[in-house]
């Protein structure tokens, strides 16, 4: 009978322990959901800055990494999404868009001075050298990669994603673009507040 009582108490202890662990997991999941809901509520791309030089608009938008992680992985397993964010939180992704005010194709020779094919190649493979970020500590971070989203003359704009590494998630940044393709000079886009201040 003593052994049966011991077994009962051990079993009861294990049940209580597993309930506590499940409660902790649920509260962690709820906390992560709240953070991502707050980010979505303020707008994933709410920090958009546009400059117009002559007839071309240049737009920079900082999009948090969580947006791309949730877009790719969904909202089923937020712990995985959160752990991937923690592993990559020193990365920054900026969307940069070029658009002519009359919605003409910006890659034509009229705007670039080079053949259309060469302009497409430059957007795909040479544009990363034209961008860098300056942090509030005056560190200069080179662009580590560019993804050019080809629109095949369907969309009235040209868009690229710019990737930067090694930036503190709480750091304020300024994007600097030396425009060699359209020859419009140097443009600066100051991002005032990082997304991570929203209780992340």
């Amino acid at each position: 009978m003593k052994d049966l009582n011991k077994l009962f108490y051990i079993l009861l202890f294990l049940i209580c322990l597993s309930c506590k662990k499940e409660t902790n997991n649920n509260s962690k999941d709820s906390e992560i959901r709240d953070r991502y809901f707050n980010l979505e509520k303020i707008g994933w791309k709410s920090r958009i800055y546009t400059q117009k030089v002559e007839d071309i608009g240049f737009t920079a938008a900082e999009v948090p990494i969580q947006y791309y992680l949730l877009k790719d992985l969904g909202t089923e397993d937020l712990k995985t999404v959160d752990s991937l964010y923690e592993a990559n939180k020193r990365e920054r992704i900026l969307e940069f868009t070029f658009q002519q005010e009359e919605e003409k194709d910006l890659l034509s020779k009229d705007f670039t001075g080079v053949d259309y094919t060469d302009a497409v190649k430059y957007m795909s493979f040479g544009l990363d050298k034209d961008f860098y970020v300056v942090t509030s500590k005056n560190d200069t971070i080179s662009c580590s990669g560019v993804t050019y989203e080809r629109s095949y003359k369907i969309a009235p704009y040209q868009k690229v994603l710019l990737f930067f590494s090694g930036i503190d998630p709480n750091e304020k940044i300024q994007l600097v673009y030396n425009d060699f393709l359209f020859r419009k000079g140097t443009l600066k886009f100051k991002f005032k507040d990082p997304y991570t201040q929203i209780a992340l």
Side-chain angles (χ1 to χ4, degrees), residues 17-196:
L17 188 63
S18 71
C19 288
K20 183 179 178 184
K21 187 176 181 181
E22 191 173 308
T23 303
N24 287 342
N25 286 342
N26 286 341
S27 68
K28 178 75 173 164
D29 186 60
S30 181
E31 176 191 328
I32 295 168
R33 284 190 188 283
D34 286 345
R35 283 189 278 156
Y36 291 148
F37 175 76
N38 287 336
L39 271 175
E40 187 175 13
K41 194 166 88 174
I42 66 160
W44 290 111
K45 299 179 187 180
S46 64
R47 293 190 170 91
I48 296 175
Y49 301 93
T50 300
Q51 290 186 37
K52 193 170 180 183
V53 181
E54 296 171 14
D55 60 344
I56 300 176
F58 301 89
T59 303
E62 184 174 5
V63 183
I65 295 170
Q66 297 95 319
Y67 171 80
Y68 295 104
L69 291 171
L70 289 169
K71 189 175 177 183
D72 189 45
L73 301 172
T75 58
E76 296 302 313
D77 187 7
L78 288 180
K79 287 180 190 159
T80 300
V81 171
D82 201 50
S83 67
L84 284 170
Y85 166 71
E86 285 299 320
N88 294 289
K89 67 183 178 183
R90 297 184 62 84
E91 308 294 317
R92 294 280 181 102
I93 301 173
L94 303 175
E95 280 186 2
F96 199 82
T97 307
F98 310 83
Q99 185 168 3
Q100 201 272 337
E101 66 183 14
E102 296 174 10
E103 299 186 355
K104 293 179 181 175
D105 189 353
L106 277 173
L107 297 184
S108 68
K109 196 168 189 168
D110 298 339
F111 296 104
T112 62
V114 297
D115 183 55
Y116 190 86
T117 306
D118 291 334
V120 170
K121 285 180 187 174
Y122 191 82
M123 290 287 282
S124 300
F125 306 111
L127 204 60
D128 60 332
K129 296 172 198 74
D130 297 352
F131 289 95
Y132 63 91
V133 160
V134 178
T135 68
S136 58
K137 295 175 185 169
N138 290 325
D139 293 331
T140 300
I141 313 286
S142 299
C143 184
S144 57
V146 172
T147 299
Y148 170 45
E149 294 184 6
R150 288 282 309 262
S151 63
Y152 298 96
K153 300 183 182 182
I154 294 172
Y157 57 82
Q158 303 296 326
K159 185 180 355 178
V160 294
L161 295 177
L162 308 169
F163 303 95
F164 298 91
S165 297
I167 302 173
D168 185 321
N170 297 311
E171 191 78 46
K172 295 179 183 179
I173 61 170
Q174 176 175 295
L175 176 68
V176 180
Y177 172 49
N178 293 315
D179 182 19
F180 295 111
L181 186 60
F182 305 108
R183 302 170 310 280
K184 302 296 182 192
T186 300
L187 304 170
K188 296 178 181 180
F189 302 85
K190 189 161 187 136
F191 294 90
K192 295 180 177 86
D193 297 313
Y195 276 96
T196 47

